[in-house]
Amino acid sequence: MIPKENTSSTGGESLLQVVWLKRDIRIYDHAPIVEATRTGPTLIIYILEPSIWQAKDMSKRHLAFVVESLRSLEHDVRKRGGFILYAVSEMEPVLESIFQQYGPFRLLAHEEYGTPWTFERDKKVHRWMRLRGLSFVEYQHFGVTRRLRSRQQFNHLWRRYIEADVLQPPERFVMGDKIPTRLSTSMQSFANLDINGDWVDANLGQKGGEREAHRQLKKFLSGTYADYLKSISSPFLAEKNCSRLSPYLAWGNISLRYVVQQSESVLDNGVERWAQKSMLAYLSRCHWHCHFIQRIEDQPDIAIRTLNPAFDKVRVDWNEEWFQKWASGTTGVPLIDAGMRALHQTGWVNFRMRAILVSFVCNTLLLDWRKPAEHLARLFIDYEPGIHYSQVQMQAGVTGFNTIRIYNPYKQAEDHDPDERFIRKYIPEWDGPSTYIQPIIDVEQANRVARDILWGIKKNSETRTISKKLLARHGSRKKASVVQMEFELDGIKGLPLEQSLQYNKDS
């Protein structure tokens, strides 16, 4: 593992090491913690930054999960003689406070593959450290490569990262002996920051923390995984039989490397062929996880800009009433409403359900993808920017190099919730269509209109030229047969030949 570092003239074993926690709230397989404790006295900090946390994609639900995660980490750090320091502040004043208290120090952190806001924040921190001749070392997080020269390198570099040794936590911390004025050992100040709470209650779903993450992984690998493949397309069965590790990966309660290595060990022990297929399907998604995050690392503005701007020409009219009904789960379309209400209550739905929800609001209703993306980000406990914005743009059909998927939610309900267990669970008043609220739109007619409009734009020569360049930059380099298989495993039948050929041509 090669760290990315600003060089510095300062050095020496007694130099203070500052570990900056972001989306890596754990102690196992944590390179910055291992390196810091090996090198000198250490401070571990978590900073609640208003510029990041008051953005439209963040919510109180996320903070609740983070606080649970930090409390879990605190327990493990304190057992080893250490502590964590907190502040509600931007990073520069915190760094200045540490500098005034200790003098020169070294900052260590994992890379964050995030939005334009986190990207700009990181550049400011690098600039602040560089101007003072201080060293800022960043370590790779996930199988994502900073400044990747070509997508041709991605698969090789991903495998190299995944196969590296899992780092063990330090047995003992030697901490800095002074607490800078802006920092505290208490998270009490977190309650004072006004964070988005619209439609979003505190976390009612999975509990945060490293111990919870490892407990969930153990549960999955001890047998749940065997039902993964036959359950992933069902919104009801997926709640129980998916790994449910996504929030723990998103907030760094567990490392992807550890998850993949432990999952591959199941195959090494020998399993039945049907169970083997489920595990292989799961492992393929661990690879796709980083494939999509690599996209936002290479182009952070996909969180705010349409990948293929040709599609911005169609979604010019905004219907706030439709958006509000979609957002609150009151469209009158039962599967859509059940999906949104499930998100309100638990912060999680399966991949297929997410695709259907995005397709409905962006394609059936022809609403611009940005505001729905922000709303879903606030609801998802497992909000991971790289995956989130890549998937929203893909499901909204605005990349140009992915096929346009326009789902019929009634047909999807028949196929994947035939006994209405999911719908009845989240719409308690549901007693059949005759007693439910009227739909806000004629879905079949709206889908026909959307299909004509969006495919018309996709076939345009200007759109195709842009799409070809985007595919060269962001497309997978897996063979077409592999891509076809993995999309079919998702339950998405019939990946268009056009897309398979594009992947193959670009390989």
Side-chain angles (χ1 to χ4, degrees):
M1 184 186 306
I2 303 174
K4 316 309 192 285
E5 180 172 1
N6 285 341
T7 57
S8 167
S9 60
T10 60
E13 292 184 355
S14 62
L15 186 71
L16 180 72
Q17 310 292 304
V18 179
V19 176
W20 175 22
L21 300 174
K22 293 182 279 185
R23 284 175 169 260
D24 54 350
I25 310 174
R26 64 177 184 273
I27 196 169
Y28 283 88
D29 203 26
H30 198 293
I33 286 178
V34 170
E35 172 63 17
T37 55
R38 183 188 66 82
T39 306
T42 301
L43 291 182
I44 304 174
I45 64 173
Y46 184 89
I47 311 302
L48 196 68
E49 303 157 86
S51 62
I52 305 301
W53 279 89
Q54 290 182 322
K56 293 180 180 179
D57 59 331
M58 303 298 286
S59 72
K60 293 176 183 176
R61 173 169 289 183
H62 300 148
L63 182 57
F65 194 91
V66 165
V67 168
E68 290 168 349
S69 302
L70 288 168
R71 285 175 178 157
S72 174
L73 180 60
E74 264 189 351
H75 175 79
D76 290 330
V77 170
R78 289 187 181 278
K79 282 197 307 182
R80 294 167 170 82
F83 54 85
I84 304 175
L85 296 177
Y86 306 99
V88 176
S89 172
E90 301 302 335
M91 274 301 295
E92 294 97 318
V94 171
L95 297 174
E96 182 65 38
S97 179
I98 296 171
F99 189 59
Q100 292 298 323
Q101 189 78 61
Y102 282 95
F105 63 91
R106 184 167 71 146
L107 183 65
L108 304 97
H110 275 118
E111 295 170 345
E112 182 169 0
Y113 317 116
T115 62
W117 300 279
T118 60
F119 181 67
E120 288 301 319
R121 180 273 317 276
D122 286 349
K123 289 200 298 184
K124 290 179 181 178
V125 170
H126 273 282
R127 188 179 305 116
W128 191 96
M129 296 290 289
R130 186 170 57 249
L131 288 173
R132 288 155 184 81
L134 304 178
S135 176
F136 178 17
V137 188
E138 292 185 284
Y139 292 83
Q140 185 178 4
H141 200 216
F142 300 141
V144 175
T145 302
R146 182 145 290 176
R147 291 179 287 276
L148 183 68
R149 292 181 181 178
S150 167
R151 272 283 177 168
Q152 300 287 357
Q153 302 172 298
F154 176 77
N155 292 333
H156 166 72
L157 295 175
W158 184 86
R159 177 48 64 180
R160 187 174 73 176
Y161 171 83
I162 290 297
E163 291 179 351
D165 291 340
V166 170
L167 301 173
Q168 297 301 308
E171 294 182 1
R172 195 76 182 165
F173 284 98
V174 176
M175 306 300 294
D177 57 358
K178 295 169 284 191
I179 298 178
T181 55
R182 278 190 170 267
L183 292 159
S184 169
T185 56
S186 169
M187 285 183 271
Q188 186 174 356
S189 61
F190 283 14
N192 299 329
L193 185 63
D194 185 21
I195 299 174
N196 287 311
D198 53 328
W199 293 306
V200 182
D201 296 325
N203 176 14
L204 301 177
Q206 293 171 267
K207 184 179 180 181
E210 190 165 11
R211 279 167 287 174
E212 292 292 331
H214 283 267
R215 187 178 297 119
Q216 186 63 34
L217 176 62
K218 184 178 180 180
K219 177 184 176 183
F220 181 61
L221 297 184
S222 65
T224 304
Y225 79 89
D227 293 319
Y228 174 79
L229 190 52
K230 69 181 182 182
S231 302
I232 53 176
S233 290
S234 164
F236 185 81
L237 294 177
E239 290 182 344
K240 178 182 178 182
N241 295 328
C242 281
S243 78
R244 303 303 302 272
L245 288 168
S246 55
Y248 303 116
L249 290 168
W251 297 104
N253 293 168
I254 196 168
S255 81
L256 181 70
R257 172 172 32 224
Y258 181 75
V259 169
V260 172
Q261 290 185 12
Q262 291 296 304
S263 299
E264 289 180 340
S265 70
V266 171
L267 296 176
D268 294 338
N269 293 332
V271 295
E272 296 289 341
R273 181 169 174 78
W274 58 273
Q276 184 183 55
K277 286 184 176 180
S278 273
M279 181 53 73
L280 289 172
Y282 177 71
L283 285 167
S284 78
R285 280 153 187 78
C286 292
H287 181 276
W288 283 108
H289 167 280
C290 297
H291 163 79
F292 284 112
I293 296 176
Q294 184 71 55
R295 190 173 292 174
I296 204 169
E297 167 61 20
D298 296 341
Q299 189 177 343
D301 68 359
I302 68 170
I304 55 177
R305 297 183 190 278
T306 303
L307 269 168
N308 196 319
F311 288 93
D312 281 336
K313 299 174 183 178
V314 62
R315 294 179 174 97
V316 293
D317 296 325
W318 181 260
N319 190 316
E320 182 66 17
E321 180 183 359
W322 282 358
F323 171 74
Q324 293 289 340
K325 288 185 179 296
W326 170 82
S328 59
T330 55
T331 66
V333 180
L335 187 63
I336 300 300
D337 293 350
M340 293 306 297
R341 296 187 197 189
L343 282 178
H344 285 287
Q345 293 182 38
T346 71
W348 188 91
V349 290
N350 66 332
F351 173 82
R352 172 169 287 274
M353 196 69 245
R354 297 180 192 213
I356 293 169
L357 292 174
V358 173
S359 178
F360 182 83
V361 70
C362 295
N363 298 335
T364 304
L365 301 184
L366 279 178
L367 298 183
D368 183 78
W369 61 271
R370 293 167 186 66
K371 193 170 178 180
E374 291 170 351
H375 178 64
L376 289 172
R378 293 192 295 270
L379 286 174
F380 290 151
I381 296 177
D382 58 6
Y383 167 53
E384 174 63 63
I387 297 174
H388 181 68
Y389 289 105
S390 293
Q391 285 294 323
V392 167
Q393 292 216 38
M394 187 171 85
Q395 300 303 337
V398 297
T399 68
F401 59 85
N402 295 111
T403 192
I404 295 171
R405 297 186 180 92
I406 302 176
Y407 296 93
N408 183 327
Y410 297 106
K411 179 65 164 57
Q412 292 295 316
E414 290 175 7
D415 291 345
H416 302 292
D417 191 35
D419 50 11
E420 299 183 339
R421 285 189 290 178
F422 181 73
I423 289 173
R424 292 181 185 278
K425 180 176 181 179
Y426 292 106
I427 307 179
E429 71 271 27
W430 175 258
D431 193 26
S434 62
T435 60
Y436 193 53
I437 56 178
Q438 289 296 306
I440 61 174
I441 199 168
D442 183 321
V443 170
E444 290 191 7
Q445 181 180 347
N447 280 354
R448 282 195 296 271
V449 171
R451 194 173 292 112
D452 289 344
I453 292 174
L454 296 177
W455 276 101
I457 295 174
K458 181 177 171 63
K459 294 175 182 177
N460 181 277
S461 59
E462 177 189 356
T463 308
R464 293 169 69 89
T465 298
I466 298 171
S467 298
K468 186 177 181 180
K469 293 178 181 178
L470 289 169
L471 183 64
R473 181 175 186 182
H474 295 301
S476 170
R477 296 305 186 265
K478 287 191 174 186
K479 292 182 179 179
S481 59
V482 177
V483 176
Q484 175 79 37
M485 177 193 72
E486 291 179 341
F487 273 83
E488 287 179 351
L489 288 175
D490 267 321
I492 301 172
K493 303 299 183 183
L495 179 68
L497 179 62
E498 168 199 1
Q499 188 174 350
S500 294
L501 290 175
Q502 283 178 325
Y503 275 104
N504 193 38
K505 182 179 179 182
D506 228 64
S507 297

